[in-house]
Amino acid sequence: LRARNGLGYLTIISIQFGVQPLLVKQFIDKQCMTSSVVLCAEMAKVVGCLFIMFSDETGKRCFSNWKMQDCLVAAGIPSVTYLIQNYCVQVAYQNLDGVVFNVLNQSKVLFTALFSFLLNGRTQSSYQCVALLLVTAGGILVSLPGGSASDGEHQENRPWGLCCALLASGLSGFGSGITEWALQKHGRNSFLLSLELATMGCIILILTLLLGVSPDAVRMKES
């Protein structure tokens, strides 16, 4: 999997991005609370990271030098952005067909390049700039109304789905910029950072439900 600059991992991620919208539409009911889906996803990340870290000496080394201040600096803001991003992604899944969502989802590459430059000073080559322009053009074209929705319900909620997809991409780019800063400039372990992000996401999500500031909190009270 690591051969040829991680081409195997990139292939797995590409397949996952293509299949995930179809699986969500097939197995998650539209009436299902978004917060429950996001919470389950974050908890799965926590379990996965703990398993990987404690399968060798990585976990012991990381936790022996762990500090709350470093955690808040590295994972505080990204955890909030990723939490809102997951909300937006779930809404976009339910209101856009798989092709439109996946094309718009690639606009996160543009936002990642933007925030990587703003936060870390990383510049792009001329070829990379051309590729970013093509991604932007594809996002604009697929956003235009043209009957790409498979049914009337998708067409009715299409603007809301487009907004959520673009907001999720923007938040993804911002979170990626901060994560790159934490991983490369501060040398934070990637599994530890993922664990911190997921844990803080779970805590924030539960608090928003308990305090009634989450959109799903209103639905819970009504039911």
Side-chain angles (χ1 to χ4, degrees):
L1 292 176
R2 295 180 181 179
R4 298 183 181 180
N5 297 323
L7 182 60
Y9 290 121
L10 290 176
T11 302
I12 293 175
I13 293 175
S14 300
I15 295 174
Q16 182 259 328
F17 271 117
V19 174
Q20 186 169 347
L22 303 177
L23 295 178
V24 169
K25 288 182 178 295
Q26 182 68 30
F27 296 104
I28 299 180
D29 190 271
K30 293 196 68 174
Q31 301 302 319
C32 180
M33 291 188 179
T34 304
S35 57
S36 63
V37 179
V38 175
L39 181 60
C40 289
E42 296 301 308
M43 293 177 64
K45 293 177 185 178
V46 171
V47 174
C49 289
L50 287 175
F51 175 78
I52 294 175
M53 292 179 68
F54 285 100
S55 62
D56 53 24
E57 296 296 322
T58 303
K60 295 180 181 180
R61 291 197 304 268
C62 291
F63 286 112
S64 62
N65 300 319
W66 186 85
K67 295 180 181 180
M68 175 60 73
Q69 181 180 359
D70 296 335
C71 173
L72 293 176
V73 172
I77 297 178
S79 63
V80 177
T81 62
Y82 285 139
L83 186 64
I84 301 175
Q85 174 193 341
N86 286 335
Y87 267 109
C88 294
V89 166
Q90 295 300 324
V91 174
Y93 278 154
Q94 299 296 342
N95 293 285
L96 296 173
D97 61 72
V99 175
V100 173
F101 173 81
N102 276 318
V103 174
L104 281 177
N105 193 46
Q106 300 311 309
S107 62
K108 68 173 60 176
V109 179
L110 175 64
F111 290 107
T112 299
L114 174 63
F115 286 109
S116 180
F117 171 73
L118 295 176
L119 298 176
N120 304 303
R122 181 186 295 275
T123 58
Q124 308 298 321
S125 66
S126 57
Y127 290 108
Q128 290 171 326
C129 290
V130 172
L132 292 174
L133 289 176
L134 293 176
V135 170
T136 304
I140 294 174
L141 292 175
V142 80
S143 302
L144 298 176
S148 62
S150 59
D151 53 49
E153 185 178 3
H154 283 167
Q155 191 69 24
E156 180 183 356
N157 298 320
R158 181 185 174 90
W160 177 236
L162 292 174
C163 292
C164 288
L166 290 175
L167 179 58
S169 296
L171 291 172
S172 175
F174 180 60
S176 297
I178 299 179
T179 301
E180 179 184 351
W181 170 79
L183 291 174
Q184 298 185 4
K185 292 193 175 182
H186 290 265
R188 201 156 188 83
N189 181 273
S190 58
F191 292 117
L192 177 61
L193 182 60
S194 298
L195 175 62
E196 292 169 337
L197 290 171
T199 302
M200 296 186 68
C202 290
I203 295 173
I204 295 173
L205 179 57
I206 294 174
L207 287 177
T208 56
L209 290 173
L210 293 177
L211 297 175
V213 296
S214 169
D216 286 336
V218 179
R219 295 180 56 188
M220 293 176 62
K221 292 181 179 179
E222 292 177 351
S223 59

